[in-house]
Every structure is written in structure tokens, then in C-alpha cells.
Amino acid sequence: MQHYIVRRILQLIPVLLGISLITFLLIQLMPSDPAIVVLRVNQVPVTEAAIAAMRERLGLNRPLPIQYFDWLWHVLHLDFGNSYVTGEPVLQEVLHYAPVTLKLTCFTAILILLIALPAGILAALYKNSMFDQMSRMFAYTGTAIPSFWLGFLLIYLFSLKLKLFPVMGSGTLAHFVLPAITLAWGPAAICTRLLRSSMLDSLSQNYVLYARARGVFERMVIGQHVFKNALLPVVTFFGLSFAHLLSGAVIVENVFALPGVGRFMVKAILSRDYPVIQCFVCLSAFLFVSVNLIVDLVYGYLDPRIRLGGVNESAH
Amino acid sequence: MKNLFRALLAVAVAALIVLPSCAQPQSETQTSKEIIFSWSEDIGPLNPHLYNPSQMFAQDLVYESLVNYGRGGEILPGLAEQWEVSSDGKLMTFQLRQGVQFSDGTPFNAAAAKANLEQVLDNRDEHEWLGLIQEMDRVEAEGESTLKIYLKNAYYPALQELTLIRPVRFLSPKAFPDSGTTAEGIKAPIGTGPWVLADYSKDSLAVFKRNENYWGNPPEAEQVTVRIIPDGETRALAFENGEIDLIYGSGLISLDAFKRLQDSGEYEAEVSPPLNTRAIALNSSRGATQDLQVRQAIQHAFNKSAVIQAVFYNTEPQADTYFSNEVPYADIGLQPYAYDVDRANSLLDEAGWQRQGQGTRQKDGQPLTVELSFNATNNADKAVAEALQADLRVVGIDLRLLGEEEQSWLDRQTSGEFHLIFNDTWGPPYEPQAMMSSMRAPAHADYEAQSGLPMKAEIDRKIGEVLVSTDETTRRQLYEEVLTTLHEQAVYLPISYSTNIAVFHKNLSGFEFMPQANQVPLSKLDKA
């Protein structure tokens, strides 16, 4: 197992380097000259002389590879530069928004599991029952309803009519209930269906037949043999959803007026705040890669065939 | 498996118990004298000498000017009780109000005022758009309460421009940065105004407490909480739910939502007098709009009243001139371009744009196609653009709509790469002088739109003259000439005079609209 983990982590290094290079080059390809952006943000008249001076100050006149390595060196020290708009260090700004997003992500993730695991298992065990039909209905609506609309419906019902939760804000736990439901609805629906179909797949496998033939308790059969094997696609999907949520949920943050990273990011893109965009792309790429790594490790735990991989295959 | 189910069941039960209990009754969080306001963007660092991302309404709560702007352009006492302008117009002497303190206890006196003005003058470049700063030569303090501002030339709008929310307002000298100027940042937003920033969480909320040492009439409310809500529909719902007391501004909620709140009869809903002008600039130096007759035809072909009814629900009066008649020097009886499709058609025929059937007109094999550039996230502009497109198709002009994100749209205003572009005026107290002054600066849509006019040099010369004029008759004369030329040359398509809207709960009293577009009357409100 340790060998497997070390191998997977080493594989990350070239991936992350590649990401940093692409992030850096993407900014070079963007339409507005960073020097002009900074001047405009600071209300300095955009003249040739002012642009030249600003390019010099931002170090944009140096050769690209030097700019890249200089930037990378700072990034490795967690220094993503200062925001063009506020002049504050970028990482500090991102960290201001991170707690809200983190809380929202955790609530949502718990909610997804709370809904999807029981619903998926029951839908598979009682295939084509009333419950299965209902979970199918839930899946269709979950994937079809746009989140902003669902958000407003929930606000209308739970805040305006039932007066249970506040419309907006981020102070207390109550503020996160409606946004978490809004965000969890779609992924939970998909997760439920994924779990159901992979459970059904597993149920029809020979090892289940043998287990039953050996007289193993049905509970053991479902728990040990079916459920554990059926979890693989769900883990993948859940991992990706988790990373996705962590990198910000712009629409839901807007609807519920939550100060999360998604909103901050969109504002940065619209005002061409390049250092913030770079920091954000790097961090979310890092998040996705790490979550993928964790998913792979969980795979290895759930299914020994994967962690043993090609290495020990020949020994069998 | 069994354990898993048990665990899930436990969590579910816990959630059922915990979650409803965290919903608190909302009335509990509000003290009786707290007014909750909402805004779409973070209030920013509140540096009085700088611009965005600080929000003007918030800067206005904390900082004050030497003189204030009254309705119709009247100059009222502020931090200065009296003032005098020398006969050559080059020296302004202010008698400062005595006994005024910054909210940190530092006295506001001539030395503090001078220090602030010098910070602004050290960064002249940032204030290039503002004639006053360019004309200011030096500042002197005499004794405790006499401030003298020397100008390079006579500059008649100097007093008007001293009323602006930024950049000539006063920060406590103790809040100046240790090194460098305020252009690089300030230690804390400390002003003399009626409110003091007490709590702040970026992009979430800002709390202003009443300044108990305020020299003027203190506000009735003890506290103003500004909640940052980016979405207009959420704002309207939060208002209905009683989480917000007041919605005030332009574009903060959709006009559909405004109409719904107004029609419900449960709230007070009001529309301000006209502020600035929504307009489209027509580029006289590019494409088919170089042709005066095409520009005039566009004016005649646009059915404004239909747009105002359908898009603005008649909340905005129709605009026929670039500046409304309320703007000083602008009430000069210009003849509006009437909605007249036949006139538009005959103008285009005369200009040689031929039409086959119902298609697009052509001249020398070139179709009469022009582009209208707008900010794609501005729903009102988008709706106006679509209506204009339909109206112009009737007279054979093919209008292409070019919706882009805000920065690209601003890029086009600056570079002049447009045929038609949305370009609103700035509202009081910037009109007409500051707005006209900017018409001479490249990198403004106004300059670019006018740059193809044969008399552009003369327009610029006259604008330069009017700003340093000392004689009222000459000034009136020059304004009339410039505004008439611009109107006749049809470089602007005025649409409507935009307004601020206000919606508030019936337990608020003392409401009135403010004379400047970017002020919010929070100091006047009382809550029952």
C-alpha cells in the first residue's frame, strides 16, 4: 500500500508542473494588457508612458521563461502576488473566503451521502418498487432543475412562507441549510442512481450467487460483497463533486449572498485581476488532483486488485 | 452494513433535531434603532482620496466635504461655514467650522484640511478627469480655521467639484499611512461624518455606528448595517422577509421586482427626480455613422416612448437631449428629434443608401450595417438594444448587437472601436462641467464619438474656455453653442433620464431623495 501511495504522489509532480505552466501561459493569452488593467483600476490615465512604466513595474518586459520561473518560485513559497484591485496579498484574500466555502462544501457533502446512500441501496434492493420509482423521479428533477431556481423556490417556501430560515447571510448554521440543500440536490440524485445501478450489477455477479449458496447471511452478502464493490463509481463521482464544490459555487453563493470563493473568483475574472485568477486556477487544479489521489487511494482500499496493480499481477 | 445504517440513522436524527433549532426568530437580531440596508458590492477600503472599489455611498457616510451640494446645484455650507472667491477667481478662502473633530478625537482644523488636500495634489495623475485638481496650484492654512486654495486659472465649477464624494474629502491625519501618500492606502477610515465604521467583513457586511461627537444634527438611527447581496431577486425576497429595511439606488432590483413590491401596497415605493441620462454615443469617425444623415436617421427611427413603457415601466422620463433641462446651463430649448419613420427613410434616401424591398439598405455595394456595443450583464441596456435593433430594421439599417463583458465594453469606449455604444452621463453634480471637461480627453467614449466632427477642435476650445470663464453671460453663451452643435450633429442618442428607486417598510420615516445620485439618505431615516 505504501509503495502504491508513494508512486501516486510522485506521479503528481509532472502534472502540477504542467498545470502551472498552462496557468501562466493562459494569462499571457488573455485579451487585456495587465498593465492597462492595473492603470484603469487605479484610475490612472492610460497613456503610452504610463503603460510603459507599469509594464516595467510589473516585470512584464522580461523574457517569458524568466517571468515564469520567477512566478513559480514565488508560488512555491505560497506567494501569489498582490491583487491588482485591492493591492492585498492574493492568498490572504482567498483565505478570507475559504471558510464559508469549506463549511458549505462539508454540509453539502454530508447531505449528499445522507440522501444517496440509503436511497440508492433501497432502490436497488427493492427494484421497480414504489420507492424505486420515487427515487427515479427524484433523480430526474434533481438533474433537471437549475440551481438558482431551486434556490429561489426554497427561499420562497422555507424563508418567506414558513419563516424557518433566513433568506441570506453567513453568520450561523441556519444560513447554510438552504444553500446546502440546493447544492446537494443534483449530485445526490445522480449518486443515488449510480449506486442503484452498480448495486444491481454486483447483485448479479457470480460471487454473490456463491456467497448465498454458502449460506452467508443476506445482510453480510449485501454489506460485504455487494455494497463495497458497488461503491467504486460512487466514490469517483463523490470525489469530483467534492472538489467541484470546494472550488466555489458561484450561482448558489450569489443567490444566498454567501461570501464564498466562487463569487470572489468571478469578480476577479470580470475585473481581469490576473494574480487572483492565477492563484485560483492553481489552487483548484491542486484540489482536483489531490481529491483524485484520495479517490484512487480509496479505490485501492475498496478493491485490492487496483492497489496491487500490474506490479504483483505476475506473482499470482 | 448494519453499522453503516445505524450511523446514517443517527446522523439523520441529529440533523432533524439540530437544524430547525438553528433557525432563530429574525426580529431578535435587530435592535429597534438599527437600519438594515443592502448593497450589491463590498464597500471597499473607504479611502476618501481614491475611487473604486470603494463605494461612493459608504464614503459619503464617513467623510464630509468643505461645501455641500443642494438640489439644483446650490452650494451649501459643510465643513466650511463661509467662503469667498476673489474677483479674479484664482483664490478661494474658506472659514472652517470650529469645534469639529474626526471620530478618533483629532481636531479638524486648517492644518488637517491642508494635509488632506496636499495628499490629493501629490497624486494629480489619478485625478486627471477632474478639472479642479488640475487647476489647483497650492493650499495654505492660516491660523486654526482659515484655508486658502490658490488656483492656476479662474475655474468656475471649483465649488461644485468640492462637493463631490471623492476625492476632496477629509481623513484624520492620524490615519495617514506611515510612509508614502494616501494613494497607497490608509490605516483606517476615520472621517468627520455622521457615521463611523464599526465592524466589517469583506463581501458580507459592514456596520456603521452613529458618530456621537458629530457636529451637525446626529442621525436618528443608532446603527446602519449594510448587507452585501449580489443578486437583485435575493434582495427583494430578503426585503419582503423583513431582513432589510430599505432598498435604494439604481439597478439594485429589477424593475419587475420594483413593480411587484409597489403594487403589493404593503411598502413605500418611490422614484427619484431624474438623475443622469441613459444614452448611446454614435461614432462620427467610424463606419456608416460618419455620415450625419445616418446619425440623424437613427434618432428619428427610434421609438423611445415604447421602450420606456416596455422596459422601464414608465419609471423614467423620456430624454430628448443629452443633458436634462434640470442641469445648469442646459435648458436652451433644443428641438427634439421626433419619432418619424418617414423622415428617417427620406434622410437615408438623400444620403444615397438605397433599399430594395424590405432588406438592408446599400450604398456602393456596402450594406448599411452598424454595431451597437453593450455590457452583456446589464439587462436594461440589452433590452433597449434589442428594441433599437427592431426599430432600425424598419428603416433598413442592420444593427448588430455586440454584448460583451464589462471590461471589453469599457475597452471599446476607451479605444473608440464602436459604431454605437451605451454611454450614460454622470448625473449631478458632475453635469455639465465635469462631463464636458472629459469630452476633451481621449479614452472617453464622448471624445471618440465626437472625434470625426469637422468642428471638434472648436468644440474642445469652447469647452476649455467655458471652464475658466468668469463672466456668466459668456459662460451661458459658450455652453449653448457647444450643446447645440452636439445636438445638431446627432452624436448622442438620449434614451431616458434614469432615476433612483427606493422601497422601504412603512415603519421608516424621514425619507427623502438625496441631491447627488450616489448618496443614500441613511442619516435622515428613523425607525418606529
Side-chain angles (χ1 to χ4, degrees):
Chain A
M1 192 69 185
Q2 269 169 357
H3 181 75
Y4 175 70
I5 296 175
V6 171
R7 191 160 46 113
R8 290 289 292 118
I9 290 177
L10 284 179
Q11 280 170 357
L12 288 187
I13 295 171
V15 173
L16 287 173
L17 273 178
I19 290 168
S20 76
L21 187 62
I22 293 172
T23 314
F24 178 78
L25 289 179
L26 269 182
I27 301 301
Q28 302 295 322
L29 294 176
M30 300 238 324
S32 303
D33 182 346
I36 297 183
V37 173
V38 180
L39 291 175
R40 193 179 288 143
V41 165
N42 293 324
Q43 320 276 330
V44 178
V46 184
T47 59
E48 291 298 325
I51 295 174
M54 187 50 77
R55 287 188 67 86
E56 188 62 44
R57 213 185 96 191
L58 296 176
L60 295 170
N61 291 330
R62 297 170 300 168
L64 268 188
I66 296 196
Q67 284 189 47
Y68 171 66
F69 285 113
D70 183 51
W71 174 76
L72 189 64
W73 181 248
H74 282 103
V75 167
L76 288 176
H77 293 81
L78 288 181
D79 172 12
F80 288 87
N82 290 359
S83 156
Y84 288 170
V85 176
T86 61
E88 301 288 321
V90 170
L91 199 67
Q92 193 183 317
E93 297 259 301
V94 172
L95 289 179
H96 171 78
Y97 296 93
V100 166
T101 297
L102 208 63
K103 274 188 222 165
L104 186 58
T105 303
C106 290
F107 281 130
T108 309
I110 292 173
L111 214 55
I112 293 176
L113 292 181
L114 273 181
I115 299 170
L117 293 187
I121 294 169
L122 292 177
L125 293 184
Y126 305 99
K127 192 180 154 196
N128 292 332
S129 67
M130 192 63 184
F131 183 83
D132 189 25
Q133 302 293 353
M134 269 165 55
S135 90
R136 186 170 293 145
M137 212 38 217
F138 168 66
Y140 291 151
T141 54
T143 44
I145 295 183
S147 57
F148 73 92
W149 192 54
L150 179 64
F152 282 127
L153 288 182
L154 292 174
I155 290 180
Y156 184 76
L157 182 65
F158 288 102
S159 299
L160 231 49
K161 293 294 156 195
L162 300 177
K163 305 265 177 204
L164 272 177
F165 300 105
V167 172
M168 47 92 207
S170 59
T172 64
L173 202 60
H175 288 110
F176 288 94
V177 176
L178 295 184
I181 295 176
T182 312
L183 279 175
W185 198 289
I190 296 173
C191 242
T192 308
R193 297 310 286 173
L194 269 179
L195 184 58
R196 174 188 177 272
S197 65
S198 68
M199 285 275 291
L200 287 176
D201 259 1
S202 298
L203 277 170
S204 63
Q205 294 291 324
N206 285 337
Y207 55 75
V208 176
L209 190 66
Y210 296 146
R212 281 180 178 152
R214 290 207 312 272
V216 178
F217 287 120
E218 184 67 11
R219 225 180 258 156
M220 278 291 283
V221 175
I222 302 289
Q224 276 300 311
H225 300 281
V226 180
F227 181 67
K228 216 170 150 187
N229 276 303
L231 264 184
L232 289 184
V234 177
V235 168
T236 314
F237 178 79
F238 181 77
L240 287 178
S241 302
F242 196 80
H244 206 80
L245 287 168
L246 269 183
S247 55
V250 185
I251 293 171
V252 169
E253 283 169 16
N254 262 330
V255 167
F256 292 95
L258 290 171
V261 289
R263 236 168 85 193
F264 177 54
M265 181 56 200
V266 169
K267 216 158 79 186
I269 294 173
L270 291 181
S271 56
R272 306 258 200 280
D273 198 342
Y274 292 141
V276 177
I277 303 175
Q278 280 176 325
C279 171
F280 191 80
V281 174
C282 277
L283 285 185
S284 43
F286 182 74
L287 265 176
F288 268 87
V289 171
S290 329
V291 168
N292 262 332
L293 173 70
I294 295 169
V295 167
D296 282 357
L297 296 182
V298 173
Y299 258 46
Y301 163 75
L302 288 174
D303 189 342
R305 283 171 300 184
I306 294 172
R307 71 169 173 263
L308 299 174
V311 187
N312 292 348
E313 197 82 316
S314 51
H316 282 284
Chain B
M1 188 68 198
K2 200 163 137 193
N3 290 340
L4 179 75
F5 263 126
R6 270 195 198 143
L8 284 176
L9 194 69
V11 175
V13 169
L16 279 177
I17 295 165
V18 171
L19 291 187
S21 64
C22 44
Q24 335 131 320
Q26 268 117 42
S27 54
E28 203 174 273
T29 56
Q30 285 189 20
T31 57
S32 62
K33 288 288 188 182
E34 178 189 18
I35 291 177
I36 303 182
F37 180 60
S38 89
W39 198 248
S40 57
E41 286 185 60
D42 184 62
I43 59 164
L46 299 188
N47 184 332
H49 305 149
L50 286 184
Y51 305 88
N52 291 336
S54 293
Q55 299 297 303
M56 294 174 84
F57 88 89
Q59 286 172 309
D60 183 56
L61 295 180
V62 176
Y63 304 106
E64 292 180 298
S65 47
L66 287 175
V67 283
N68 289 328
Y69 188 86
R71 210 169 288 288
E74 194 190 351
I75 303 295
L76 305 169
L79 287 174
E81 283 180 307
Q82 286 170 2
W83 55 93
E84 198 180 5
V85 182
S86 67
S87 57
D88 65 354
K90 290 187 182 177
L91 168 62
M92 294 187 292
T93 310
F94 295 90
Q95 293 303 324
L96 303 183
R97 199 175 288 279
Q98 304 211 334
V100 176
Q101 285 185 349
F102 289 101
S103 57
D104 63 354
T106 313
F108 170 78
N109 52 25
K114 178 173 184 262
N116 270 273
L117 281 162
E118 281 174 347
Q119 294 283 316
V120 174
L121 290 179
D122 278 346
N123 300 291
R124 264 178 220 270
D125 280 354
E126 307 200 355
H127 315 293
E128 193 214 22
W129 65 277
L130 190 61
L132 171 68
I133 308 299
Q134 298 311 310
E135 294 296 346
M136 224 183 260
D137 186 33
R138 65 180 201 282
V139 184
E140 278 176 14
E142 248 183 44
E144 267 295 291
S145 58
T146 306
L147 183 74
K148 291 187 163 177
I149 299 180
Y150 291 89
L151 301 180
K152 295 175 194 157
N153 298 294
Y155 182 70
Y156 95 84
L159 285 170
Q160 274 84 354
E161 295 187 357
L162 282 174
T163 67
L164 297 182
I165 291 174
R166 54 203 191 188
V168 193
R169 291 211 175 184
F170 301 91
L171 174 74
S172 166
K174 283 192 185 152
F176 283 17
D178 291 328
S179 64
T181 65
T182 50
E184 280 118 59
I186 58 171
K187 281 188 193 158
I190 309 286
T192 57
W195 300 99
V196 182
L197 182 67
D199 191 12
Y200 170 64
S201 169
K202 195 178 175 203
D203 263 333
S204 176
L205 90 168
V207 178
F208 294 90
K209 288 249 194 283
R210 182 166 67 194
N211 179 358
E212 299 297 344
N213 299 320
Y214 186 53
W215 58 268
N217 290 332
E220 294 292 339
E222 286 156 14
Q223 180 176 321
V224 165
T225 302
V226 180
R227 296 202 169 276
I228 310 303
I229 306 178
D231 188 274
E233 295 308 318
T234 308
R235 193 186 333 279
L237 287 168
F239 173 79
E240 284 181 86
N241 204 28
E243 291 173 48
I244 297 174
D245 293 313
L246 166 75
I247 298 173
Y248 183 98
S250 172
L252 284 177
I253 53 173
S254 68
L255 285 168
D256 290 303
F258 176 71
K259 203 165 162 17
R260 177 165 56 80
L261 295 174
Q262 191 177 33
D263 291 347
S264 76
E266 290 176 46
Y267 317 105
E268 302 287 343
E270 297 191 31
V271 179
S272 77
L275 297 166
N276 60 328
T277 315
R278 288 181 195 272
I280 294 173
L282 313 182
N283 196 337
S284 61
S285 66
R286 271 175 91 92
T289 46
Q290 286 176 36
D291 190 338
L292 172 61
Q293 280 159 314
V294 171
R295 297 200 298 270
Q296 287 172 333
I298 291 174
Q299 308 269 349
H300 284 297
F302 185 34
N303 187 355
K304 278 176 213 173
S305 60
V307 167
I308 286 166
Q309 196 177 1
V311 179
F312 300 117
Y313 298 120
N314 290 327
T315 54
E316 301 194 351
Q318 175 168 335
D320 289 315
T321 51
Y322 194 45
F323 293 121
S324 84
N325 287 342
E326 313 249 323
V327 171
Y329 307 106
D331 188 6
I332 50 173
L334 294 171
Q335 184 66 34
Y337 291 94
Y339 172 53
D340 185 344
V341 174
D342 293 337
R343 178 92 186 96
N345 274 320
S346 63
L347 278 166
L348 291 171
D349 288 339
E350 277 169 37
W353 293 96
Q354 301 301 325
R355 192 177 200 188
Q356 308 289 329
Q358 292 302 303
T360 304
R361 289 170 183 272
Q362 294 201 335
K363 184 165 147 182
D364 309 328
Q366 292 295 317
L368 183 42
T369 299
V370 286
E371 277 180 351
L372 168 59
S373 176
F374 64 99
N375 174 1
T377 54
N378 186 327
N379 290 327
D381 283 359
K382 193 171 159 198
V384 172
E386 284 162 359
L388 181 63
Q389 184 181 44
D391 284 347
L392 294 188
R393 192 174 293 137
V394 173
V395 297
I397 300 175
D398 173 27
L399 183 70
R400 299 265 167 87
L401 302 188
L402 191 64
E404 290 171 298
E405 46 159 318
E406 193 176 10
Q407 282 293 329
S408 305
W409 168 69
L410 290 173
D411 279 344
R412 280 179 196 279
Q413 284 204 341
T414 314
S415 65
E417 284 171 35
F418 61 86
H419 295 134
L420 284 76
I421 197 161
F422 279 91
N423 181 49
D424 296 352
T425 66
W426 304 347
Y430 298 97
E431 294 175 12
Q433 72 288 345
M435 185 80 203
M436 300 275 274
S437 174
S438 78
M439 288 178 181
R440 300 173 300 166
H444 279 270
D446 289 279
Y447 176 87
E448 298 295 339
Q450 297 170 17
S451 62
L453 298 180
M455 66 294 276
K456 175 62 178 159
E458 206 192 328
I459 293 175
D460 286 359
R461 183 183 58 77
K462 283 181 181 166
I463 293 175
E465 251 175 64
V466 83
L467 293 174
V468 298
S469 64
T470 46
D471 175 45
E472 183 69 21
T473 330
T474 331
R475 192 181 301 154
R476 200 166 283 284
Q477 173 73 23
L478 286 166
Y479 268 129
E480 181 165 346
E481 284 170 23
V482 174
L483 290 175
T484 308
T485 310
L486 292 176
H487 186 74
E488 283 170 358
Q489 290 298 318
V491 280
Y492 298 106
L493 175 60
I495 301 159
S496 63
Y497 299 117
S498 73
T499 49
N500 274 337
I501 57 111
V503 193
F504 49 95
H505 291 280
K506 288 193 166 160
N507 61 350
L508 287 196
S509 57
F511 176 83
E512 64 179 83
F513 282 103
M514 301 295 279
Q516 291 198 35
N518 294 303
Q519 292 174 313
V520 180
L522 291 164
S523 306
K524 315 207 173 226
L525 292 175
D526 193 7
K527 190 169 177 180

